[in-house]
């Protein structure tokens, strides 16, 4: 089988891009098609990949402002040619699930979520400093984009969702069924520590919908030390509201993040994520998680085994969850054992078998877009 991998864009390294790394390790000869990529932001695991970008790659300044060319993505993906491939594996939370492949080519989409900025526009734009006129005009475009997104969902032969909540979104937005295969976690990257520090930890892109502001407000109130790792457009606003016990560390190397995870009192995970790899990474390092009770965390957090939930996006609820973490006696062996259920070797074995069987069914005519 000749396989191609397709991913929305390789500009920043997050959970979805780590999945692409695993796909590349599974299918090292498969080229990776993407709209635009940044050499300086690629992980070392993708440095040897055959990356084939669209013509957007040649637009000056696009890597620094890849969201500014939003209307061009549906046009750019039309030019990809997949005629030589038997299988195209798309990894998508935006546009790549809408690629067109020949009838003889099997298109399986690993969906991180239907495009959040279109389907959950109000949440995505909350807290962003844009004029009301801009937001109104963008809403009109997003309504058109949702129609396009729904129509082009028929380009996919088989959907695989990364969580139960994403499976429900695919059913709701596209009226398509999806099987759930949880994303891979490289648990071997993390080591436990016997030296637990005096700080709580956030590791996240600093975007308003991730609700890092809620964590900042809670720790402003209780005075405990909070370290925030990550960059993003919301950093300035968050820094302005933070007291001295809340520190922003910016983007760090994986080794530095691993050490911070292993020695934190707990990871704070306040947003509604499609899955959320970071909590399981903290678990792999032996530390519990404070998570909002929603989204992908519902698939991964077992209360008082590897973390605690808070039910409302209210400061008081976060403060109660912090107190619960402090009072509970955590079993580090149970936490790390839970994380290993999501290890990338398990994912590779499960996903490879799934793709092979799905392709057989496709050839037999059992899968129709």
């Amino acid at each position: 089988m000749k396989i191609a991998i397709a991913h929305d864009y390789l500009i920043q390294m997050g959970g979805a891009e780590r999945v692409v790394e695993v796909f590349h390790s599974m299918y090292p000869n498969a080229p990776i098609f993407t709209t635009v990529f940044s050499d300086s932001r690629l992980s070392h695991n993708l440095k040897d990949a055959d990356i084939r970008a669209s013509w957007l790659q040649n637009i000056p300044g696009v890597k620094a402002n890849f969201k500014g060319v939003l209307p061009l993505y549906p046009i750019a993906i039309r030019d990809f040619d997949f005629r030589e491939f038997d299988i195209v594996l798309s990894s998508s939370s935006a546009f790549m699930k809408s690629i067109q492949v020949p009838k003889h080519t099997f298109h399986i989409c690993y969906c991180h979520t239907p495009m959040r900025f279109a389907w959950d526009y109000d949440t995505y734009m909350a807290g962003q400093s844009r004029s009301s006129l801009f937001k109104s005009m963008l809403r009109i475009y997003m309504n058109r984009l949702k129609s396009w997104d729904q129509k082009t969902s028929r380009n996919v032969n088989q959907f695989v969702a990364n969580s139960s909540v994403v499976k429900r979104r695919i059913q709701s937005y596209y009226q398509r069924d999806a099987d759930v295969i949880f994303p891979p976690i490289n648990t071997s990257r993390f080591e436990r520590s016997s030296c637990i520090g005096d700080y709580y930890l956030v590791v996240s892109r600093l975007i308003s919908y991730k609700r890092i502001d809620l964590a900042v407000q809670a720790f402003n109130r209780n005075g405990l030390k909070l370290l925030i790792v990550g960059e993003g457009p919301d950093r300035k606003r968050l820094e302005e509201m933070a007291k001295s016990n809340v520190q922003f560390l910016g983007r760090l190397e994986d080794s530095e993040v691993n050490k911070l995870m292993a020695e934190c009192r707990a990871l704070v995970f306040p947003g509604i994520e499609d899955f959320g790899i970071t909590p399981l990474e903290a678990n792999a390092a032996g530390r519990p998680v404070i998570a909002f009770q929603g989204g992908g965390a519902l698939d991964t957090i077992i209360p008082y085994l590897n973390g605690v939930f808070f039910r409302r996006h209210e400061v008081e609820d976060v403060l109660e969850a912090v107190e619960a973490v402090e009072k509970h006696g955590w079993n580090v062996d149970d936490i790390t054992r839970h994380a290993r259920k999501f290890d990338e070797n398990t994912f590779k074995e499960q996903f490879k078998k799934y793709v092979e069987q799905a392709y057989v069914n496709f050839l037999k005519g059992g899968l129709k877009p």
Side-chain angles (χ1 to χ4, degrees):
M1 297 182 296
K2 196 165 184 183
I3 297 175
I5 299 167
H7 184 64
D8 297 315
Y9 19 67
L10 291 167
I11 295 295
Q12 52 198 4
M13 291 306 298
E17 288 71 33
R18 293 196 185 276
V19 173
V20 175
E21 289 180 353
V22 174
F23 286 159
H24 175 57
S25 71
M26 293 169 63
Y27 309 108
N29 296 321
I32 300 175
F33 291 80
T34 192
T35 54
V36 61
F37 73 95
S38 170
D39 280 314
S40 62
R41 295 289 181 86
L42 281 180
S43 72
H44 70 276
N45 293 324
L46 292 177
K47 292 293 186 181
D48 66 337
D50 175 9
I51 299 177
R52 304 180 187 182
S54 73
W55 48 263
L56 287 176
Q57 185 76 8
N58 301 319
I59 297 179
V62 70
K63 297 172 189 177
N65 187 28
F66 68 101
K67 293 182 180 179
V69 294
L70 183 67
L72 299 181
Y73 288 105
I75 302 171
I77 64 171
R78 295 176 192 166
D79 293 340
F80 290 128
D81 185 355
F82 296 106
R83 284 177 294 180
E84 65 180 291
F85 299 101
D86 302 302
I87 298 174
V88 176
L89 169 57
S90 66
S91 159
S92 183
S93 60
F95 300 97
M96 272 302 192
K97 71 117 189 66
S98 301
I99 54 175
Q100 296 181 0
V101 304
K103 289 185 177 180
H104 71 268
T105 301
F106 176 50
H107 178 191
I108 180 170
C109 175
Y110 190 78
C111 186
H112 305 283
T113 184
M115 51 179 68
R116 179 191 294 270
F117 48 84
W119 292 100
D120 195 12
Y121 175 79
D122 289 331
T123 301
Y124 189 84
M125 292 298 292
Q128 298 209 22
S129 56
R130 298 283 190 168
S131 69
S132 56
L133 177 61
F134 175 86
K135 289 182 178 180
S136 296
M137 293 177 64
L138 189 59
R139 184 188 296 277
I140 294 172
Y141 174 72
M142 289 302 173
N143 287 334
R144 294 178 58 188
L145 190 61
K146 283 195 293 187
S147 297
W148 174 86
D149 187 49
Q150 193 171 54
K151 180 179 179 181
T152 56
S153 67
R154 296 195 291 269
N155 293 352
V156 176
N157 294 98
Q158 181 67 29
F159 276 102
V160 178
N162 72 348
S163 68
S164 300
V165 69
V166 170
K167 173 184 173 72
R168 291 192 292 271
R169 290 175 194 164
I170 291 169
Q171 177 62 51
S172 176
Y173 302 154
Y174 302 151
Q175 289 77 55
R176 297 287 303 277
D177 192 22
D179 294 310
V180 177
I181 299 178
F182 298 128
I185 311 296
N186 184 1
T187 60
S188 63
R189 277 178 50 206
F190 302 91
E191 294 182 1
R192 291 151 48 162
S193 174
S194 59
C195 179
I196 305 305
D198 62 348
Y199 62 90
Y200 286 76
L201 183 67
V202 167
V203 179
S204 175
R205 287 201 291 264
L206 305 184
I207 304 172
S208 58
Y209 78 82
K210 291 183 178 287
R211 295 310 312 270
I212 310 304
D213 59 323
L214 187 66
V216 171
Q217 291 167 7
F219 282 80
N220 279 347
R221 180 94 61 91
N222 66 19
L224 297 176
K225 188 174 180 180
L226 177 68
L227 302 183
I228 298 177
V229 176
E231 288 286 357
D234 211 26
R235 177 168 177 170
K236 184 175 184 295
R237 181 177 76 96
L238 294 170
E239 286 183 320
E240 288 174 349
M241 72 169 62
K243 292 185 178 180
S244 59
N245 59 302
V246 179
Q247 300 176 25
F248 293 80
L249 305 182
R251 185 180 290 108
L252 300 178
E253 296 295 327
D254 282 351
S255 59
E256 298 174 281
V257 177
N258 296 353
K259 186 174 188 298
L260 287 171
M261 281 188 172
E263 298 179 359
C264 71
R265 301 199 67 75
L267 180 86
V268 183
F269 192 69
I272 302 177
E273 292 289 348
D274 311 314
F275 177 72
I277 287 177
T278 309
L280 288 169
E281 291 180 333
N283 287 164
R287 305 313 302 150
V289 176
I290 297 170
F292 177 71
Q293 192 170 7
L298 296 174
D299 286 326
T300 61
I301 303 299
I302 301 174
Y304 296 101
L305 185 146
N306 65 322
V308 296
F309 283 125
F310 61 95
R311 293 186 177 182
R312 301 177 302 164
H313 276 128
E314 301 289 345
V315 171
E316 290 75 14
D317 287 39
V318 178
L319 293 174
E320 289 177 5
V322 172
E323 290 183 8
V325 164
E326 291 289 336
K327 292 177 181 178
H328 186 66
W330 296 98
N331 186 314
V332 177
D333 289 334
D334 286 347
I335 293 175
T336 55
R337 191 179 300 114
H338 176 75
R340 285 196 293 269
K341 295 177 182 178
F342 300 85
D343 186 73
E344 69 176 39
N345 289 324
T346 301
F347 172 88
K348 287 179 180 180
E349 181 179 351
Q350 182 182 11
F351 195 81
K352 201 162 192 175
K353 287 180 180 178
Y354 183 91
V355 171
E356 290 170 357
Q357 186 58 58
Y359 182 58
V360 169
N361 292 341
F362 169 74
L363 294 177
K364 292 178 178 178
L367 289 174
K368 300 292 184 181

